[in-house]
Amino acid sequence: MKTDIQIAQEATMLDIRKIAEKIGASEDDIEMYGKSMAKLSDEFIDKLASKENGKLVLVTAINPTPAGEGKTTVTLGLGDALNKMNTNTVVAIREPSLGPCFGIKGGAAGGGYAQAVPMDKLNLHFTGDFHAITSANNLMCAMLDNHMLQGNALRIDPKRVVVKRCLDMNDRALRNITIGLGKRLDGVVREDHFCITVATEVMAILCLAEDLEDLKARLGRIIVAYNYDNEPVTAADLNCVGAMTVLLKDAIRPNLIQSLENNPVFVHGGPFANIAHGCNSVRATKLALKAADYVITEAGFGADLGAEKFLDIKCRMAGIKPDAVVLVATARALKYNGGIPKDELNQENVEALKKGIVNLGKHIENLKKYNVPVVVTINKFVADTDAEVATIKEFVESKGCRFAVSEVWAKGGEGGLELAEQVLAAIEEGSPNFKFLYDDSLSLKEKIETISREIYGADGVEYSPEANNALKKLEDLGFGNVPVCMAKTQYSLSDNQKLLGRPTGFNVNIREVYVSAGAGFVVAIAGQIMTMPGLPKSPAAERIDVLPSGEIVGLF
């Protein structure tokens, strides 16, 4: 069986100018990065501004398991399937982070015969967006430490610096460090921290900004520290916003590549969904809606994280709504939720599947709370039996949802035709009045508790003293009416990754709360969430290499 990278390397790609033509873009509307990648110009975005929006389809999934659900694979395969049906369809997804690529999770280009290409470039440096975000964030941090050294006119309290430096790599040794050691001119000695680039507020801002001016305004609102009077100090106070914007002026422009079947794919931005809001950029999604009749996009991790944040944060801020939601599951993952170990998942076990299917049921119930049509698809593996698929189909239809089997990993767009037909039918039926889970007018605690009870199924919420104090402070500062971005484990509906299936009888524990003032949301951290992941005992990096010919091997 061929690996993902082997399939991608054997692909016949069209010149990116040909792909641009499919969305109405001329050579003057793009900036090429070689023959297979391009950035779309602001002029092209303006050119399409008056066009009517297409239909938006969100792809999400049940809680991820070691078995893998294939959400991005289904997203790309569905896009290819719809194009096979002579629709004008564009896929809009996130950019991969280098950290997981060299760690354990893998990339974000799909898999098998449903991939975005060039897969190797996309999963590595791509068009440099993440490097620009890393540089802009670290410039802000350098300006802050320099300000404290050069007299500290803003009276910044070194013990109350809240912004972190970043690196797009899993490096746990940088989570907690001491900086400024050495001579006086080497800086103010203080404790500092690193997070991974995709967890930064700069990344979230880039993905929510409407244009360059909005980007600049949001960057200026980033709270970098508090002074000795407990007042916030912002990036604008450091006079670094103009320089940060210069570093990001190209990164804010959406990227264009193609699927294995030579259909347009927008890839732009990539905030983590268990830490940040987990969606591709507003600019890319809105541009796709102008450029196509149907847009297939995805949100990170399970529906309790990525989909909730897409619907309650991104849709709220961008003024968009999905016309249908596709919920991806696998028989293997449902059996895993039913208590079967990973090495036994290829064996038929209908009883375990029935036990674990409650996880799927909860996600269906959650999505219906937003009044959107839900299509459930099983990403089919070779070992899946007819009895298992029939059991899932019966369960899904009993919940009032459409059902389809997806075989896009093995068959590309052809394997997604059944799903495409169900999605079109769901859109044709029309969406009831879309609604958010909570109103802006609720207090921050009410928002946290609504998400915890309604989406996770918790009995209640417990707050650390630090979280309680932070919530009061943020409401006093005027941030009470913003959305809440919950940071918790992706592996469970609860904040305990070991609780599989559909946990009950638990409380969500909020240990830390802070505001991303530029992004426009408050982050509530539940449980032990690391903003800087670590590498596993045997990282993927051990198996990645490049041959004398320049061919990359081992990249999935």
Side-chain angles (χ1 to χ4, degrees):
M1 186 178 294
K2 293 179 180 178
T3 64
D4 289 349
I5 194 168
Q6 287 173 328
I7 293 170
Q9 288 168 341
E10 293 173 4
T12 301
M13 286 188 285
L14 295 182
D15 188 295
I16 196 64
R17 289 171 290 192
K18 294 291 185 184
I19 303 299
E21 289 175 5
K22 295 186 177 187
I23 59 168
S26 69
E27 189 170 345
D28 289 338
D29 293 321
I30 63 174
E31 180 180 353
M32 296 176 64
Y33 283 66
K35 295 180 180 180
S36 56
M37 307 185 301
K39 278 194 169 288
L40 295 157
S41 69
D42 292 335
E43 290 75 17
F44 177 64
I45 294 173
D46 294 340
K47 187 190 300 184
L48 299 188
S50 61
K51 288 193 65 176
E52 186 177 340
N53 280 350
K55 300 294 186 181
L56 181 62
V57 178
L58 171 67
V59 179
T60 186
I62 64 172
N63 292 99
T65 69
E69 283 58 62
K71 174 165 49 66
T72 308
T73 302
V74 170
T75 301
L76 288 156
L78 174 58
D80 283 340
L82 284 166
N83 277 303
K84 276 186 175 294
M85 298 172 70
N86 296 317
T87 68
N88 176 17
T89 300
V90 166
V91 168
I93 58 176
R94 298 171 298 159
E95 298 178 48
S97 167
L98 284 176
C101 286
F102 292 100
I104 193 171
K105 180 178 174 290
Y113 289 90
Q115 294 190 54
V117 287
M119 180 265 233
D120 52 352
K121 289 184 172 64
L122 172 58
N123 279 297
L124 298 174
H125 302 291
F126 198 30
T127 57
D129 292 348
F130 282 21
H131 298 313
I133 292 165
T134 302
S135 296
N137 181 87
N138 291 345
L139 169 64
M140 175 174 58
C141 294
M143 292 282 279
L144 182 150
D145 280 294
N146 183 63
H147 180 89
M148 286 193 290
L149 176 70
Q150 306 286 1
N152 199 7
L154 295 171
R155 303 178 63 250
I156 294 169
D157 183 350
K159 293 188 178 297
R160 299 212 60 202
V161 173
V162 293
V163 71
K164 298 178 180 179
R165 287 172 162 80
C166 71
L167 187 71
D168 192 30
M169 193 59 62
N170 293 3
D171 193 347
R172 61 168 55 86
L174 294 178
R175 287 174 184 162
N176 305 292
I177 60 173
T178 302
I179 63 171
L181 297 175
K183 300 177 182 178
R184 190 192 74 82
L185 292 180
D186 293 330
V188 175
V189 177
R190 66 177 183 88
E191 181 181 351
D192 201 10
H193 312 273
F194 270 77
C195 64
I196 193 165
T197 298
V198 289
T200 63
E201 185 175 356
V202 177
M203 171 65 82
I205 286 172
L206 184 97
C207 291
L208 292 169
E210 294 281 350
D211 51 35
L212 202 62
E213 286 305 306
D214 187 31
L215 174 70
K216 185 182 291 187
R218 287 173 177 271
L219 291 172
R221 295 196 291 269
I222 296 175
I223 295 175
V224 297
Y226 291 85
N227 64 19
Y228 288 110
D229 298 318
N230 201 26
E231 298 166 335
V233 178
T234 66
D237 294 328
L238 295 174
N239 295 320
C240 62
V241 175
M244 292 173 69
T245 309
V246 167
L247 289 172
L248 296 170
K249 71 178 182 66
D250 293 323
I252 195 175
R253 294 161 51 201
N255 306 296
L256 176 68
I257 54 174
Q258 61 193 284
S259 69
L260 285 175
E261 297 182 15
N262 309 124
N263 294 309
V265 179
F266 290 1
V267 188
H268 194 219
F272 265 11
N274 63 342
I275 298 167
H277 67 289
C279 308
N280 73 303
S281 77
V282 165
R283 287 197 101 199
T285 301
K286 284 192 167 183
L287 178 57
L289 285 168
K290 298 295 184 184
D293 296 327
Y294 297 94
V295 176
I296 315 300
T297 191
E298 68 168 348
F301 291 132
D304 56 320
L305 285 169
E308 186 273 316
K309 294 171 184 180
F310 178 93
L311 298 166
D312 282 318
I313 297 177
K314 180 174 177 177
C315 287
R316 193 187 304 258
M317 291 188 184
I320 58 176
K321 67 178 183 67
D323 295 281
V325 176
V326 174
L327 179 58
V328 181
T330 64
R332 287 152 47 100
L334 295 176
K335 287 185 284 188
Y336 183 83
N337 271 281
I340 299 301
K342 185 178 178 181
D343 58 2
E344 297 178 17
L345 295 176
N346 286 334
Q347 302 170 22
E348 181 181 277
N349 193 326
V350 174
E351 289 308 308
L353 189 149
K354 287 180 177 179
K355 184 179 177 183
I357 209 167
V358 293
N359 184 269
L360 173 60
K362 176 58 175 164
H363 287 297
I364 291 173
E365 292 171 23
N366 288 347
L367 291 169
K368 285 191 169 185
K369 292 175 181 178
Y370 295 90
N371 284 348
V372 292
V374 179
V375 180
V376 176
T377 188
I378 294 302
N379 185 23
K380 195 172 186 300
F381 287 75
V382 175
D384 295 350
T385 67
D386 291 343
E388 290 173 335
V389 173
T391 299
I392 300 167
K393 183 175 188 291
E394 180 182 1
F395 176 84
V396 168
E397 291 179 346
S398 74
K399 295 289 185 180
C401 293
R402 293 179 174 275
F403 174 83
V405 174
S406 171
E407 297 182 271
V408 296
W409 186 90
K411 300 178 181 178
E414 189 71 27
L417 292 176
E418 178 186 342
L419 173 58
E421 289 170 357
Q422 292 293 339
V423 168
L424 290 177
I427 293 172
E428 185 65 26
E429 283 179 1
S431 172
N433 293 324
F434 172 76
K435 66 175 184 178
F436 300 116
L437 186 69
Y438 55 80
D439 294 328
D440 287 330
S441 59
L442 294 182
S443 70
L444 293 175
K445 275 194 173 182
E446 287 172 325
K447 291 168 186 170
I448 291 170
E449 287 160 15
T450 298
I451 295 170
S452 298
R453 293 179 188 274
E454 295 291 325
I455 301 300
Y456 307 153
D459 290 344
V461 179
E462 296 179 2
Y463 302 89
S464 70
E466 294 80 8
N468 261 323
N469 292 337
L471 285 165
K472 183 180 184 306
K473 172 71 174 176
L474 292 176
E475 299 229 344
D476 290 345
L477 288 172
F479 293 111
N481 64 341
V482 302
V484 168
C485 182
M486 298 287 283
K488 75 168 186 72
T489 179
Q490 63 269 33
Y491 298 114
S492 171
L493 283 160
S494 73
D495 57 353
N496 179 354
Q497 67 178 40
K498 295 180 180 179
L499 297 180
L500 302 180
R502 183 175 182 166
T504 57
F506 68 93
N507 287 333
V508 170
N509 299 282
I510 303 298
R511 65 176 176 86
E512 182 183 351
V513 176
Y514 62 88
V515 65
S516 291
F521 52 68
V522 165
V523 179
I525 296 182
Q528 299 301 311
I529 287 295
M530 295 293 181
T531 57
M532 170 57 84
L535 292 171
K537 186 173 183 179
S538 178
E542 295 178 348
R543 298 173 287 280
I544 297 172
D545 203 354
V546 59
L547 303 179
S549 62
E551 180 181 330
I552 295 172
V553 295
L555 191 64
F556 325 125

